[in-house]
């Protein structure tokens, strides 16, 4: 038997699913879309039952991949039963989906989740009344505390073998007659789920309303007989939504019993009056975000540099230092071991300088990424992120994005890789693509060393303004291209943003640990595969010439040196390759495509072979590099070079992440082409504008 789990996002579906399926769970993908398909087996009944976790949805309309996947499974996958999980603290919004599920002919059991919260707020639910009015069994559960689960599954098992006929609130509305007529046509025709399809036909929903040529005209003729109130302006979808909400309010909401002594507003309402306040909402939000980034990225936490000399680094930075020490130790040990075994120089170079350094450089970001994700998971689980997205929705809407895009964009300032993975929360496919495409423009942490280097060398008096300028150029590029993309290849408006505000909850350790584990797994896998390959290739290309003889690392005779020289003409209009030996800047750009961390070390090696690339933070050696750079880059050329690095392909890990999100080669190549051309055009504009003014 197959039971499908359906419910709104944040209703506790995953928690219930994990409880039911335990170790049998596995994740796949729904065909053709980037939506997770979770499946597992529940063994607590007379026979094993397969549980399919449908994606979290608010409705069974055809607008998001999640909705399409869910309704296709409900209508065509023929589950034996649907467990509709309902967040009892948000009964009205959750039952909206329930009314749609009940229109199918599939047996349904409603699980009223979060019953522990309801109780603690001094309320209760009249389960038998609700069950009688919904016409299906209703069981109170708490997925979190493992309460009521066995009762739920027993009820489900019993119900699964009892046939059910779809029911719709439309049946007690002015258009009931027409709906029944259309349903009758479908029934005669032998179409499954006649009530569901009849309501969809009235809503004007294309996907499941077209019953084939034979009765389509009849269906339309019946629908045309319906007269809507003029206020609705012929919007059938809204008319039906209206009917649903009215029906819920007048038939189901009496099930909610407030205890006499319960306060007028729940705790959540009170907190929300402050946190989503028109005046204070955004400032509070930015303060929280600042705190998170500060704790993750600052090297002088809580401005402690004013207290102690140098100050204390933030926990994130401290852990990154430790991770750096660990990887350095591994690299040095490997080098020592190889030398002990008298390995050839090229082997030592490949393993220590190529492989381990490359992977190590990337892994050293793991602590900060984890930390950022920990904070963000806490905000998410507590219910605060829903509020933040709501607050940012209006400002973002002007650029064709909705509030949901905000969080990934914010994360992009830290690292594009988790940010791109974070776009999964976006419901609209085009919006998701747009957000991924804009990602490089939010200057990530790995680009900061480039800005610092050039700011100190070329703009010593205006270092802060030069760095700040990079962030502004990135934002400008994001705004301009977002508007352009929305009018061309990603036509359309931001998705309609309905988001129920879940009640605030204490985040649970188990949930947090699981989220983090998924992130670590993804990140480490990427580091181990893509980055390893890329590093080995780059190391090889910069250490060998075309006749496969080893040359001085990064010299002009190496393969990158030769190819870099060939590519110089492409970059000439951008101004930064006019100095002697112009290929060097090109090679730095190219290594930057692998990882932006490599730009500074490449420049170090190429422009001043005397100095140790690892000691760039050291005052004296960076002084030498600064002098070399001043000789090679005019201010305008430096800005152009920085702009190109800012706007171009962020790094191979980001490309891999984007590829995993798109799952579409054509889009991937379009996006890479978009990044490269934006970088070229941006650098061109910056160079010529700066040449005029500087
Ligand atoms: P999903 O989005 O529907 O998959 O929801 P999750 O399973 O991720 O749950 C969302 C949040 O609700 C998590 O923080 C859970 O710990 C919490 N949660 C789930 N079920 C319950 C419950 O019965 N009681 C309480 N208090 N919290 C719950
Ligand atoms: Mg979930």
């Amino acid at each position: 038997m197959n039971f499908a789990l359906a419910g709104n996002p944040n209703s506790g579906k995953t928690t219930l699913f994990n409880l039911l399926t335990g170790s049998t769970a596995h994740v796949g993908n729904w065909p053709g879309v980037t939506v997770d398909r979770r499946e597992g087996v529940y063994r607590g009944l007379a026979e094993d039952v397969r549980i399919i976790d449908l994606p979290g949805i608010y409705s069974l309309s055809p607008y998001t991949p999640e909705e399409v996947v869910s309704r296709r499974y409900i209508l065509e996958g023929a589950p034996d039963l649907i467990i509709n999980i309902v967040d009892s603290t948000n009964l009205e919004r959750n039952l909206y989906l329930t009314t749609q599920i009940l229109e199918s002919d599939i047996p349904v059991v409603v699980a009223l989740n979060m019953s522990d919260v309801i109780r603690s707020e001094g309320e209760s639910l009249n389960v038998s009344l609700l069950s009688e009015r919904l016409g299906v069994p209703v069981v109170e559960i708490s997925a979190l505390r493992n309460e009521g689960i066995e009762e739920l599954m027993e009820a489900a098992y019993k119900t699964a073998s009892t046939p059910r006929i779809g029911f719709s609130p439309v049946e007690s509305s002015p258009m009931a007659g027409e709906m029944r007529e259309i349903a009758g046509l479908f029934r005669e025709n032998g179409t499954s789920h006649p009530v569901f399809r009849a309501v969809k036909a009235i809503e004007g929903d294309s996907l499941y309303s077209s019953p084939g040529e034979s009765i389509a005209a009849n269906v339309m003729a019946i629908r045309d007989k319906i007269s809507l109130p003029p206020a609705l302006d012929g919007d059938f979808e809204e008319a039906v939504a209206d009917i649903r909400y009215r029906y819920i309010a007048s038939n189901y909401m009496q099930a909610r019993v407030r205890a006499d002594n319960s306060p007028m507003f729940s705790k959540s309402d009170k907190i929300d009056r402050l946190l989503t306040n028109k005046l204070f909402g955004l400032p509070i939000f930015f303060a929280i975000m600042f705190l998170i980034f500060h704790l993750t990225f600052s090297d002088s936490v809580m401005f402690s540099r004013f207290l102690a000399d140098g100050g204390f680094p933030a926990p994130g930075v401290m852990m990154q230092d430790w991770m750096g020490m660990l990887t350095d130790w591994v690299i040095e040990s490997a080098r020592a071991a190889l030398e002990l075994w008298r390995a050839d120089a090229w082997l030592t170079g490949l393993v220590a300088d190529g492989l381990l350094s490359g992977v190590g450089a990337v892994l050293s970001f793991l602590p900060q990424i984890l930390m950022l994700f920990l904070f963000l998971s806490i905000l998410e689980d507590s219910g605060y992120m829903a509020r933040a997205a709501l607050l940012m929705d209006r400002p973002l809407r002007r650029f064709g994005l909705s509030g949901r895009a905000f969080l990934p964009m914010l994360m992009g300032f830290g690292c594009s890789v988790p940010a791109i993975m974070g776009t999964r929360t976006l419901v609209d496919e085009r919006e998701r693509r747009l957000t991924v495409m804009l990602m490089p423009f939010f200057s990530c942490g790995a680009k900061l060393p480039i800005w610092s280097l050039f700011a100190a060398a070329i703009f010593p008096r205006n270092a802060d303004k030069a760095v700040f300028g990079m962030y502004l150029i990135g934002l400008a590029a994001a705004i301009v291209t977002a508007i352009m993309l929305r009018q061309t290849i990603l036509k359309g408006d931001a998705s309609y943003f309905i988001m129920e505000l879940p009640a605030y909850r204490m985040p649970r350790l188990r949930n947090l640990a699981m989220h983090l584990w998924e992130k670590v797994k993804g990140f480490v896998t990427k580091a181990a595969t893509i980055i390893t390959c890329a590093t080995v290739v780059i190391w090889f290309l910069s250490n060998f010439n075309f006749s496969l003889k080893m040359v001085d690392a990064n010299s002009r005779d190496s393969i990158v040196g030769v190819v870099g020289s060939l590519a110089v003409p492409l970059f000439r209009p951008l101004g930064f390759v006019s100095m002697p030996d112009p290929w060097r800047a090109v090679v730095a750009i190219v290594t930057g495509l692998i990882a932006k961390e490599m730009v500074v070390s490449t420049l170090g090696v190429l422009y001043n072979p005397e100095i140790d690339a690892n000691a760039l933070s050291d005052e004296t050696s960076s002084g030498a590099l600064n002098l070399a750079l001043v000789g090679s880059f005019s201010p305008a050329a430096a800005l152009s070079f920085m702009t190109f690095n800012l706007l171009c392909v962020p790094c191979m890990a980001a490309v891999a992440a984007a590829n995993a999100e798109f799952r579409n080669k054509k889009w991937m190549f379009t996006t890479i082409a978009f990044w490269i051309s934006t970088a070229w055009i941006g650098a061109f504009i910056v160079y010529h504008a700066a040449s005029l003014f500087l």
Side-chain angles (χ1 to χ4, degrees), residues 7-16 53 56 85 113-117 141-145 381-382 505-508 511 515:
N8 286 10
N10 274 317
S11 56
K13 238 159 27 63
T14 306
T15 313
L16 177 62
D53 186 20
I85 180 163
N113 194 28
M114 317 270 177
S115 56
D116 55 318
V117 183
I141 64 165
S142 167
L144 192 66
R145 310 202 166 177
D381 267 16
S382 65
R505 299 189 194 102
M506 201 62 196
R508 295 286 155 157
N511 245 341
H515 283 175

Side-chain angles (χ1 to χ4, degrees), residues 316-567:
V317 175
M318 219 180 309
M319 287 195 296
Q320 186 182 17
D321 287 346
W322 294 339
M323 193 75 179
M325 282 195 262
L326 183 70
T327 50
D328 282 350
W329 177 79
V330 171
I331 293 168
E332 286 321 310
S333 313
R335 195 194 303 278
L338 285 166
E339 271 160 17
L340 205 64
W341 294 328
R342 297 173 198 285
D344 289 344
W346 70 266
L347 184 63
T348 313
L350 172 64
V351 173
D353 301 329
L355 206 61
L356 294 178
S357 306
V359 176
V362 176
L363 280 186
S364 66
F365 285 98
L366 190 59
Q368 284 182 331
I369 289 177
L370 272 185
M371 189 137 167
L372 201 58
F373 264 107
L374 176 68
F375 285 128
L376 296 176
S377 302
I378 292 176
L379 289 188
E380 176 103 43
D381 267 16
S382 65
Y384 181 69
M385 261 318 162
R387 273 91 181 165
L390 189 75
L391 286 170
M392 288 306 293
D393 189 51
R394 263 169 66 112
L396 284 175
R397 200 153 280 279
R398 299 170 183 219
F399 311 117
L401 289 160
S402 75
R404 286 196 194 84
F406 178 63
L407 175 62
M409 289 181 342
L410 198 71
M411 287 158 64
F413 284 112
C415 173
S416 311
V417 176
I420 289 174
M421 300 199 288
T423 59
R424 281 210 163 193
T425 53
L426 290 166
V427 281
D428 180 78
E429 189 85 30
R430 281 170 308 180
E431 202 179 334
R432 170 158 41 202
R433 285 183 180 154
L434 178 60
T435 312
V436 171
M437 290 171 88
L438 298 182
M439 207 52 85
F441 310 155
F442 308 105
S443 171
C444 78
K447 292 175 187 167
L448 204 52
I450 314 177
W451 310 158
S452 317
L453 176 67
F454 276 87
I458 316 281
F459 309 98
R461 298 244 171 97
N462 291 307
D464 52 346
K465 296 190 192 81
V467 175
F468 190 58
M470 280 299 120
Y471 285 84
L472 292 186
I473 290 175
L475 284 181
I479 290 172
V480 172
T481 54
I483 294 172
M484 280 178 3
L485 288 170
R486 266 310 198 189
Q487 283 169 4
T488 54
I489 54 175
L490 291 169
K491 236 189 182 81
D493 285 325
S495 61
Y496 184 46
F497 185 57
I498 36 164
M499 186 163 206
E500 155 194 32
L501 298 181
Y504 287 102
R505 299 189 194 102
M506 201 62 196
R508 295 286 155 157
L509 212 58
R510 220 181 97 95
N511 245 341
L512 293 180
M514 233 156 55
H515 283 175
L516 287 187
W517 173 237
E518 278 181 14
K519 290 285 165 338
V520 180
K521 228 170 40 184
F523 188 76
V524 172
T525 320
K526 264 180 210 122
T529 52
I530 300 270
I531 300 182
T532 308
C533 296
T535 332
V536 172
V537 170
I538 274 289
W539 174 86
F540 177 80
L541 295 180
S542 57
N543 279 276
F544 284 83
N545 64 14
F546 275 106
S547 37
L548 301 186
K549 292 255 162 50
M550 206 160 173
V551 295
D552 285 346
N554 297 326
S555 76
R556 186 178 194 152
D557 309 322
S558 66
I559 299 179
V560 280
V562 174
V563 175
S565 305
L566 285 178

Side-chain angles (χ1 to χ4, degrees), residues 560-586:
V560 280
V562 174
V563 175
S565 305
L566 285 178
V568 162
L570 292 177
F571 293 91
R572 213 171 282 287
L574 308 186
F576 57 76
V577 294
S578 50
M579 68 286 188
D581 260 354
W583 63 271
R584 297 181 299 185
V586 175

